[in-house]
PDB file of all heavy atoms in Angstrom:
ATOM      1  N   LEU A  15     -13.333   8.810  -4.970  1.00  0.00           N
ATOM      2  CA  LEU A  15     -13.335   7.611  -4.127  1.00  0.00           C
ATOM      3  C   LEU A  15     -12.818   6.391  -4.879  1.00  0.00           C
ATOM      4  O   LEU A  15     -12.080   5.576  -4.318  1.00  0.00           O
ATOM      5  CB  LEU A  15     -14.747   7.348  -3.595  1.00  0.00           C
ATOM      6  CG  LEU A  15     -15.254   8.341  -2.561  1.00  0.00           C
ATOM      7  CD1 LEU A  15     -16.734   8.108  -2.271  1.00  0.00           C
ATOM      8  CD2 LEU A  15     -14.434   8.257  -1.284  1.00  0.00           C
ATOM      9  N   ARG A  16     -13.183   6.278  -6.153  1.00  0.00           N
ATOM     10  CA  ARG A  16     -12.679   5.153  -6.949  1.00  0.00           C
ATOM     11  C   ARG A  16     -11.159   5.240  -7.106  1.00  0.00           C
ATOM     12  O   ARG A  16     -10.462   4.234  -7.016  1.00  0.00           O
ATOM     13  CB  ARG A  16     -13.344   5.134  -8.324  1.00  0.00           C
ATOM     14  CG  ARG A  16     -14.741   4.599  -8.283  1.00  0.00           C
ATOM     15  CD  ARG A  16     -15.336   4.488  -9.662  1.00  0.00           C
ATOM     16  NE  ARG A  16     -16.663   3.912  -9.586  1.00  0.00           N
ATOM     17  CZ  ARG A  16     -17.596   4.081 -10.490  1.00  0.00           C
ATOM     18  NH1 ARG A  16     -17.356   4.803 -11.574  1.00  0.00           N
ATOM     19  NH2 ARG A  16     -18.778   3.524 -10.351  1.00  0.00           N
ATOM     20  N   ALA A  17     -10.654   6.441  -7.334  1.00  0.00           N
ATOM     21  CA  ALA A  17      -9.203   6.617  -7.459  1.00  0.00           C
ATOM     22  C   ALA A  17      -8.511   6.270  -6.149  1.00  0.00           C
ATOM     23  O   ALA A  17      -7.441   5.639  -6.145  1.00  0.00           O
ATOM     24  CB  ALA A  17      -8.879   8.050  -7.873  1.00  0.00           C
ATOM     25  N   SER A  18      -9.124   6.665  -5.033  1.00  0.00           N
ATOM     26  CA  SER A  18      -8.556   6.357  -3.729  1.00  0.00           C
ATOM     27  C   SER A  18      -8.536   4.855  -3.487  1.00  0.00           C
ATOM     28  O   SER A  18      -7.544   4.303  -2.983  1.00  0.00           O
ATOM     29  CB  SER A  18      -9.352   7.067  -2.635  1.00  0.00           C
ATOM     30  OG  SER A  18      -8.813   6.785  -1.373  1.00  0.00           O
ATOM     31  N   LEU A  19      -9.617   4.174  -3.848  1.00  0.00           N
ATOM     32  CA  LEU A  19      -9.659   2.722  -3.686  1.00  0.00           C
ATOM     33  C   LEU A  19      -8.621   2.033  -4.567  1.00  0.00           C
ATOM     34  O   LEU A  19      -7.956   1.088  -4.141  1.00  0.00           O
ATOM     35  CB  LEU A  19     -11.052   2.188  -4.021  1.00  0.00           C
ATOM     36  CG  LEU A  19     -12.114   2.393  -2.968  1.00  0.00           C
ATOM     37  CD1 LEU A  19     -13.487   1.956  -3.489  1.00  0.00           C
ATOM     38  CD2 LEU A  19     -11.781   1.637  -1.700  1.00  0.00           C
ATOM     39  N   LYS A  20      -8.474   2.523  -5.799  1.00  0.00           N
ATOM     40  CA  LYS A  20      -7.484   1.940  -6.699  1.00  0.00           C
ATOM     41  C   LYS A  20      -6.088   2.137  -6.129  1.00  0.00           C
ATOM     42  O   LYS A  20      -5.257   1.224  -6.130  1.00  0.00           O
ATOM     43  CB  LYS A  20      -7.584   2.580  -8.084  1.00  0.00           C
ATOM     44  CG  LYS A  20      -6.657   1.965  -9.096  1.00  0.00           C
ATOM     45  CD  LYS A  20      -6.893   2.548 -10.480  1.00  0.00           C
ATOM     46  CE  LYS A  20      -6.128   1.801 -11.521  1.00  0.00           C
ATOM     47  NZ  LYS A  20      -4.838   2.288 -11.801  1.00  0.00           N
ATOM     48  N   ARG A  21      -5.839   3.321  -5.619  1.00  0.00           N
ATOM     49  CA  ARG A  21      -4.534   3.611  -5.035  1.00  0.00           C
ATOM     50  C   ARG A  21      -4.280   2.720  -3.824  1.00  0.00           C
ATOM     51  O   ARG A  21      -3.187   2.210  -3.627  1.00  0.00           O
ATOM     52  CB  ARG A  21      -4.474   5.090  -4.640  1.00  0.00           C
ATOM     53  CG  ARG A  21      -3.197   5.518  -3.983  1.00  0.00           C
ATOM     54  CD  ARG A  21      -2.116   5.789  -5.025  1.00  0.00           C
ATOM     55  NE  ARG A  21      -0.827   5.971  -4.436  1.00  0.00           N
ATOM     56  CZ  ARG A  21      -0.272   7.130  -4.146  1.00  0.00           C
ATOM     57  NH1 ARG A  21      -0.920   8.241  -4.410  1.00  0.00           N
ATOM     58  NH2 ARG A  21       0.918   7.199  -3.605  1.00  0.00           N
ATOM     59  N   ARG A  22      -5.327   2.505  -3.026  1.00  0.00           N
ATOM     60  CA  ARG A  22      -5.192   1.649  -1.843  1.00  0.00           C
ATOM     61  C   ARG A  22      -4.882   0.212  -2.249  1.00  0.00           C
ATOM     62  O   ARG A  22      -4.126  -0.486  -1.583  1.00  0.00           O
ATOM     63  CB  ARG A  22      -6.458   1.706  -0.996  1.00  0.00           C
ATOM     64  CG  ARG A  22      -6.326   0.983   0.318  1.00  0.00           C
ATOM     65  CD  ARG A  22      -7.558   1.219   1.185  1.00  0.00           C
ATOM     66  NE  ARG A  22      -7.496   0.486   2.414  1.00  0.00           N
ATOM     67  CZ  ARG A  22      -6.914   0.900   3.528  1.00  0.00           C
ATOM     68  NH1 ARG A  22      -6.348   2.087   3.555  1.00  0.00           N
ATOM     69  NH2 ARG A  22      -6.901   0.155   4.603  1.00  0.00           N
ATOM     70  N   GLU A  23      -5.461  -0.243  -3.360  1.00  0.00           N
ATOM     71  CA  GLU A  23      -5.191  -1.592  -3.854  1.00  0.00           C
ATOM     72  C   GLU A  23      -3.729  -1.749  -4.295  1.00  0.00           C
ATOM     73  O   GLU A  23      -3.228  -2.861  -4.351  1.00  0.00           O
ATOM     74  CB  GLU A  23      -6.117  -1.932  -5.014  1.00  0.00           C
ATOM     75  CG  GLU A  23      -7.565  -2.118  -4.606  1.00  0.00           C
ATOM     76  CD  GLU A  23      -8.497  -2.271  -5.787  1.00  0.00           C
ATOM     77  OE1 GLU A  23      -8.048  -2.186  -6.948  1.00  0.00           O
ATOM     78  OE2 GLU A  23      -9.698  -2.462  -5.544  1.00  0.00           O
ATOM     79  N   GLU A  24      -3.071  -0.640  -4.578  1.00  0.00           N
ATOM     80  CA  GLU A  24      -1.678  -0.683  -5.016  1.00  0.00           C
ATOM     81  C   GLU A  24      -0.714  -0.651  -3.837  1.00  0.00           C
ATOM     82  O   GLU A  24       0.478  -0.448  -4.014  1.00  0.00           O
ATOM     83  CB  GLU A  24      -1.394   0.491  -5.954  1.00  0.00           C
ATOM     84  CG  GLU A  24      -2.200   0.444  -7.239  1.00  0.00           C
ATOM     85  CD  GLU A  24      -2.098   1.716  -8.049  1.00  0.00           C
ATOM     86  OE1 GLU A  24      -1.542   2.724  -7.556  1.00  0.00           O
ATOM     87  OE2 GLU A  24      -2.602   1.718  -9.187  1.00  0.00           O
ATOM     88  N   THR A  25      -1.251  -0.818  -2.623  1.00  0.00           N
ATOM     89  CA  THR A  25      -0.414  -0.823  -1.430  1.00  0.00           C
ATOM     90  C   THR A  25      -0.496  -2.186  -0.760  1.00  0.00           C
ATOM     91  O   THR A  25      -1.335  -3.021  -1.106  1.00  0.00           O
ATOM     92  CB  THR A  25      -0.852   0.264  -0.424  1.00  0.00           C
ATOM     93  OG1 THR A  25      -2.156  -0.054   0.060  1.00  0.00           O
ATOM     94  CG2 THR A  25      -0.829   1.646  -1.044  1.00  0.00           C
ATOM     95  N   VAL A  26       0.383  -2.384   0.217  1.00  0.00           N
ATOM     96  CA  VAL A  26       0.386  -3.627   0.987  1.00  0.00           C
ATOM     97  C   VAL A  26       0.494  -3.257   2.467  1.00  0.00           C
ATOM     98  O   VAL A  26       1.112  -2.255   2.811  1.00  0.00           O
ATOM     99  CB  VAL A  26       1.537  -4.556   0.543  1.00  0.00           C
ATOM    100  CG1 VAL A  26       2.890  -3.953   0.828  1.00  0.00           C
ATOM    101  CG2 VAL A  26       1.413  -5.927   1.163  1.00  0.00           C
ATOM    102  N   GLU A  27      -0.139  -4.043   3.326  1.00  0.00           N
ATOM    103  CA  GLU A  27      -0.102  -3.759   4.756  1.00  0.00           C
ATOM    104  C   GLU A  27       0.947  -4.626   5.443  1.00  0.00           C
ATOM    105  O   GLU A  27       1.031  -5.824   5.221  1.00  0.00           O
ATOM    106  CB  GLU A  27      -1.468  -4.022   5.392  1.00  0.00           C
ATOM    107  CG  GLU A  27      -1.512  -3.625   6.847  1.00  0.00           C
ATOM    108  CD  GLU A  27      -2.885  -3.736   7.460  1.00  0.00           C
ATOM    109  OE1 GLU A  27      -3.876  -3.743   6.716  1.00  0.00           O
ATOM    110  OE2 GLU A  27      -2.953  -3.816   8.690  1.00  0.00           O
ATOM    111  N   ARG A  28       1.738  -3.982   6.284  1.00  0.00           N
ATOM    112  CA  ARG A  28       2.715  -4.678   7.124  1.00  0.00           C
ATOM    113  C   ARG A  28       2.744  -3.986   8.481  1.00  0.00           C
ATOM    114  O   ARG A  28       2.816  -2.753   8.545  1.00  0.00           O
ATOM    115  CB  ARG A  28       4.135  -4.624   6.542  1.00  0.00           C
ATOM    116  CG  ARG A  28       4.364  -5.463   5.322  1.00  0.00           C
ATOM    117  CD  ARG A  28       4.336  -6.963   5.658  1.00  0.00           C
ATOM    118  NE  ARG A  28       4.822  -7.762   4.565  1.00  0.00           N
ATOM    119  CZ  ARG A  28       4.133  -8.094   3.485  1.00  0.00           C
ATOM    120  NH1 ARG A  28       2.911  -7.669   3.344  1.00  0.00           N
ATOM    121  NH2 ARG A  28       4.658  -8.841   2.546  1.00  0.00           N
ATOM    122  N   PHE A  29       2.655  -4.755   9.531  1.00  0.00           N
ATOM    123  CA  PHE A  29       2.775  -4.257  10.901  1.00  0.00           C
ATOM    124  C   PHE A  29       1.789  -3.122  11.205  1.00  0.00           C
ATOM    125  O   PHE A  29       2.087  -2.196  11.940  1.00  0.00           O
ATOM    126  CB  PHE A  29       4.208  -3.801  11.194  1.00  0.00           C
ATOM    127  CG  PHE A  29       5.250  -4.794  10.779  1.00  0.00           C
ATOM    128  CD1 PHE A  29       6.195  -4.473   9.826  1.00  0.00           C
ATOM    129  CD2 PHE A  29       5.272  -6.064  11.333  1.00  0.00           C
ATOM    130  CE1 PHE A  29       7.155  -5.392   9.434  1.00  0.00           C
ATOM    131  CE2 PHE A  29       6.236  -6.989  10.948  1.00  0.00           C
ATOM    132  CZ  PHE A  29       7.176  -6.660   9.994  1.00  0.00           C
ATOM    133  N   GLY A  30       0.608  -3.187  10.587  1.00  0.00           N
ATOM    134  CA  GLY A  30      -0.423  -2.192  10.863  1.00  0.00           C
ATOM    135  C   GLY A  30      -0.323  -0.921  10.036  1.00  0.00           C
ATOM    136  O   GLY A  30      -1.125  -0.005  10.212  1.00  0.00           O
ATOM    137  N   TYR A  31       0.641  -0.833   9.129  1.00  0.00           N
ATOM    138  CA  TYR A  31       0.806   0.337   8.262  1.00  0.00           C
ATOM    139  C   TYR A  31       0.727  -0.109   6.809  1.00  0.00           C
ATOM    140  O   TYR A  31       1.018  -1.245   6.475  1.00  0.00           O
ATOM    141  CB  TYR A  31       2.153   1.028   8.510  1.00  0.00           C
ATOM    142  CG  TYR A  31       2.262   1.672   9.874  1.00  0.00           C
ATOM    143  CD1 TYR A  31       2.854   0.999  10.939  1.00  0.00           C
ATOM    144  CD2 TYR A  31       1.760   2.949  10.097  1.00  0.00           C
ATOM    145  CE1 TYR A  31       2.950   1.590  12.187  1.00  0.00           C
ATOM    146  CE2 TYR A  31       1.851   3.542  11.344  1.00  0.00           C
ATOM    147  CZ  TYR A  31       2.448   2.854  12.389  1.00  0.00           C
ATOM    148  OH  TYR A  31       2.535   3.440  13.626  1.00  0.00           O
ATOM    149  N   ARG A  32       0.363   0.822   5.927  1.00  0.00           N
ATOM    150  CA  ARG A  32       0.321   0.522   4.490  1.00  0.00           C
ATOM    151  C   ARG A  32       1.548   1.129   3.824  1.00  0.00           C
ATOM    152  O   ARG A  32       1.974   2.235   4.157  1.00  0.00           O
ATOM    153  CB  ARG A  32      -0.962   1.073   3.877  1.00  0.00           C
ATOM    154  CG  ARG A  32      -2.188   0.356   4.484  1.00  0.00           C
ATOM    155  CD  ARG A  32      -3.384   0.358   3.605  1.00  0.00           C
ATOM    156  NE  ARG A  32      -3.338  -0.500   2.454  1.00  0.00           N
ATOM    157  CZ  ARG A  32      -3.616  -1.802   2.457  1.00  0.00           C
ATOM    158  NH1 ARG A  32      -3.915  -2.414   3.570  1.00  0.00           N
ATOM    159  NH2 ARG A  32      -3.600  -2.490   1.350  1.00  0.00           N
ATOM    160  N   TYR A  33       2.097   0.371   2.868  1.00  0.00           N
ATOM    161  CA  TYR A  33       3.308   0.753   2.152  1.00  0.00           C
ATOM    162  C   TYR A  33       3.084   0.629   0.653  1.00  0.00           C
ATOM    163  O   TYR A  33       2.225  -0.127   0.196  1.00  0.00           O
ATOM    164  CB  TYR A  33       4.463  -0.194   2.528  1.00  0.00           C
ATOM    165  CG  TYR A  33       4.905  -0.121   3.959  1.00  0.00           C
ATOM    166  CD1 TYR A  33       4.256  -0.842   4.959  1.00  0.00           C
ATOM    167  CD2 TYR A  33       5.982   0.667   4.336  1.00  0.00           C
ATOM    168  CE1 TYR A  33       4.661  -0.779   6.282  1.00  0.00           C
ATOM    169  CE2 TYR A  33       6.407   0.733   5.657  1.00  0.00           C
ATOM    170  CZ  TYR A  33       5.733   0.010   6.621  1.00  0.00           C
ATOM    171  OH  TYR A  33       6.145   0.075   7.929  1.00  0.00           O
ATOM    172  N   ARG A  34       3.897   1.350  -0.104  1.00  0.00           N
ATOM    173  CA  ARG A  34       3.963   1.083  -1.538  1.00  0.00           C
ATOM    174  C   ARG A  34       4.502  -0.325  -1.685  1.00  0.00           C
ATOM    175  O   ARG A  34       5.150  -0.851  -0.779  1.00  0.00           O
ATOM    176  CB  ARG A  34       4.903   2.066  -2.244  1.00  0.00           C
ATOM    177  CG  ARG A  34       4.398   3.496  -2.229  1.00  0.00           C
ATOM    178  CD  ARG A  34       5.409   4.455  -2.835  1.00  0.00           C
ATOM    179  NE  ARG A  34       6.584   4.496  -1.953  1.00  0.00           N
ATOM    180  CZ  ARG A  34       7.835   4.569  -2.366  1.00  0.00           C
ATOM    181  NH1 ARG A  34       8.120   4.612  -3.641  1.00  0.00           N
ATOM    182  NH2 ARG A  34       8.831   4.601  -1.507  1.00  0.00           N
ATOM    183  N   CYS A  35       4.242  -0.955  -2.812  1.00  0.00           N
ATOM    184  CA  CYS A  35       4.754  -2.313  -2.971  1.00  0.00           C
ATOM    185  C   CYS A  35       5.324  -2.503  -4.375  1.00  0.00           C
ATOM    186  O   CYS A  35       4.988  -1.793  -5.314  1.00  0.00           O
ATOM    187  CB  CYS A  35       3.670  -3.344  -2.678  1.00  0.00           C
ATOM    188  SG  CYS A  35       2.211  -3.260  -3.717  1.00  0.00           S
ATOM    189  N   ASP A  36       6.218  -3.497  -4.460  1.00  0.00           N
ATOM    190  CA  ASP A  36       6.804  -3.825  -5.757  1.00  0.00           C
ATOM    191  C   ASP A  36       5.908  -4.848  -6.469  1.00  0.00           C
ATOM    192  O   ASP A  36       4.820  -5.173  -5.992  1.00  0.00           O
ATOM    193  CB  ASP A  36       8.244  -4.327  -5.587  1.00  0.00           C
ATOM    194  CG  ASP A  36       8.334  -5.564  -4.710  1.00  0.00           C
ATOM    195  OD1 ASP A  36       7.292  -6.208  -4.475  1.00  0.00           O
ATOM    196  OD2 ASP A  36       9.450  -5.888  -4.270  1.00  0.00           O
ATOM    197  N   ALA A  37       6.369  -5.364  -7.584  1.00  0.00           N
ATOM    198  CA  ALA A  37       5.575  -6.288  -8.395  1.00  0.00           C
ATOM    199  C   ALA A  37       5.228  -7.569  -7.639  1.00  0.00           C
ATOM    200  O   ALA A  37       4.196  -8.186  -7.889  1.00  0.00           O
ATOM    201  CB  ALA A  37       6.315  -6.626  -9.683  1.00  0.00           C
ATOM    202  N   SER A  38       6.068  -7.956  -6.687  1.00  0.00           N
ATOM    203  CA  SER A  38       5.807  -9.183  -5.927  1.00  0.00           C
ATOM    204  C   SER A  38       5.040  -8.904  -4.635  1.00  0.00           C
ATOM    205  O   SER A  38       4.986  -9.744  -3.745  1.00  0.00           O
ATOM    206  CB  SER A  38       7.123  -9.900  -5.616  1.00  0.00           C
ATOM    207  OG  SER A  38       7.939  -9.079  -4.808  1.00  0.00           O
ATOM    208  N   LYS A  39       4.457  -7.723  -4.526  1.00  0.00           N
ATOM    209  CA  LYS A  39       3.647  -7.303  -3.376  1.00  0.00           C
ATOM    210  C   LYS A  39       4.454  -7.236  -2.074  1.00  0.00           C
ATOM    211  O   LYS A  39       3.903  -7.391  -0.992  1.00  0.00           O
ATOM    212  CB  LYS A  39       2.431  -8.221  -3.185  1.00  0.00           C
ATOM    213  CG  LYS A  39       1.390  -8.079  -4.272  1.00  0.00           C
ATOM    214  CD  LYS A  39       0.744  -6.713  -4.179  1.00  0.00           C
ATOM    215  CE  LYS A  39      -0.412  -6.594  -5.157  1.00  0.00           C
ATOM    216  NZ  LYS A  39      -1.015  -5.280  -5.125  1.00  0.00           N
ATOM    217  N   GLU A  40       5.736  -6.957  -2.190  1.00  0.00           N
ATOM    218  CA  GLU A  40       6.586  -6.744  -1.014  1.00  0.00           C
ATOM    219  C   GLU A  40       6.653  -5.239  -0.751  1.00  0.00           C
ATOM    220  O   GLU A  40       6.730  -4.434  -1.678  1.00  0.00           O
ATOM    221  CB  GLU A  40       7.990  -7.296  -1.241  1.00  0.00           C
ATOM    222  CG  GLU A  40       8.037  -8.818  -1.277  1.00  0.00           C
ATOM    223  CD  GLU A  40       7.563  -9.441   0.015  1.00  0.00           C
ATOM    224  OE1 GLU A  40       7.943  -8.968   1.102  1.00  0.00           O
ATOM    225  OE2 GLU A  40       6.771 -10.408  -0.056  1.00  0.00           O
ATOM    226  N   PRO A  41       6.590  -4.836   0.528  1.00  0.00           N
ATOM    227  CA  PRO A  41       6.599  -3.401   0.841  1.00  0.00           C
ATOM    228  C   PRO A  41       7.933  -2.749   0.496  1.00  0.00           C
ATOM    229  O   PRO A  41       8.986  -3.378   0.592  1.00  0.00           O
ATOM    230  CB  PRO A  41       6.346  -3.369   2.343  1.00  0.00           C
ATOM    231  CG  PRO A  41       6.738  -4.703   2.840  1.00  0.00           C
ATOM    232  CD  PRO A  41       6.531  -5.669   1.723  1.00  0.00           C
ATOM    233  N   ILE A  42       7.836  -1.486   0.090  1.00  0.00           N
ATOM    234  CA  ILE A  42       9.039  -0.696  -0.196  1.00  0.00           C
ATOM    235  C   ILE A  42       8.873   0.697   0.407  1.00  0.00           C
ATOM    236  O   ILE A  42       7.764   1.213   0.513  1.00  0.00           O
ATOM    237  CB  ILE A  42       9.337  -0.593  -1.713  1.00  0.00           C
ATOM    238  CG1 ILE A  42       8.136  -0.025  -2.482  1.00  0.00           C
ATOM    239  CG2 ILE A  42       9.744  -1.924  -2.291  1.00  0.00           C
ATOM    240  CD1 ILE A  42       8.401   0.209  -3.957  1.00  0.00           C
ATOM    241  N   GLY A  43       9.975   1.274   0.827  1.00  0.00           N
ATOM    242  CA  GLY A  43       9.980   2.640   1.333  1.00  0.00           C
ATOM    243  C   GLY A  43       9.363   2.773   2.712  1.00  0.00           C
ATOM    244  O   GLY A  43       9.276   1.831   3.483  1.00  0.00           O
ATOM    245  N   THR A  44       8.923   3.986   3.023  1.00  0.00           N
ATOM    246  CA  THR A  44       8.314   4.275   4.316  1.00  0.00           C
ATOM    247  C   THR A  44       6.796   4.116   4.223  1.00  0.00           C
ATOM    248  O   THR A  44       6.221   4.076   3.136  1.00  0.00           O
ATOM    249  CB  THR A  44       8.652   5.709   4.781  1.00  0.00           C
ATOM    250  OG1 THR A  44       8.141   6.636   3.831  1.00  0.00           O
ATOM    251  CG2 THR A  44      10.150   5.899   4.942  1.00  0.00           C
ATOM    252  N   ALA A  45       6.148   4.058   5.376  1.00  0.00           N
ATOM    253  CA  ALA A  45       4.697   3.850   5.440  1.00  0.00           C
ATOM    254  C   ALA A  45       3.936   5.117   5.080  1.00  0.00           C
ATOM    255  O   ALA A  45       4.440   6.232   5.221  1.00  0.00           O
ATOM    256  CB  ALA A  45       4.307   3.411   6.852  1.00  0.00           C
ATOM    257  N   PHE A  46       2.706   4.904   4.625  1.00  0.00           N
ATOM    258  CA  PHE A  46       1.790   6.018   4.431  1.00  0.00           C
ATOM    259  C   PHE A  46       1.222   6.403   5.794  1.00  0.00           C
ATOM    260  O   PHE A  46       1.053   5.565   6.671  1.00  0.00           O
ATOM    261  CB  PHE A  46       0.633   5.627   3.501  1.00  0.00           C
ATOM    262  CG  PHE A  46       1.026   5.483   2.060  1.00  0.00           C
ATOM    263  CD1 PHE A  46       1.172   4.233   1.503  1.00  0.00           C
ATOM    264  CD2 PHE A  46       1.244   6.604   1.274  1.00  0.00           C
ATOM    265  CE1 PHE A  46       1.521   4.091   0.172  1.00  0.00           C
ATOM    266  CE2 PHE A  46       1.587   6.478  -0.056  1.00  0.00           C
ATOM    267  CZ  PHE A  46       1.735   5.210  -0.617  1.00  0.00           C
ATOM    268  N   CYS A  47       0.902   7.664   5.951  1.00  0.00           N
ATOM    269  CA  CYS A  47       0.298   8.142   7.193  1.00  0.00           C
ATOM    270  C   CYS A  47      -1.126   7.581   7.294  1.00  0.00           C
ATOM    271  O   CYS A  47      -1.958   7.870   6.428  1.00  0.00           O
ATOM    272  CB  CYS A  47       0.255   9.671   7.209  1.00  0.00           C
ATOM    273  SG  CYS A  47      -0.694  10.342   8.607  1.00  0.00           S
TER     274      CYS A  47
END
């Protein structure tokens, strides 16, 4: 659960979906399911 939370903190939300993000917290790539 801690690893999952850490991984979630490394994402950013846009338009109701979570994405990987770059250093400036801008979304990159496709959304996570």
Side-chain angles (χ1 to χ4, degrees):
L15 290 171
R16 283 185 177 156
S18 180
L19 283 174
K20 184 175 189 269
R21 178 81 190 264
R22 187 173 177 87
E23 290 172 357
E24 297 170 351
T25 65
V26 64
E27 185 174 339
R28 288 290 192 281
F29 312 118
Y31 293 95
R32 296 205 73 83
Y33 295 84
R34 293 175 293 142
C35 60
D36 59 16
S38 62
K39 291 292 186 182
E40 290 299 316
I42 56 175
T44 61
F46 288 104
C47 172

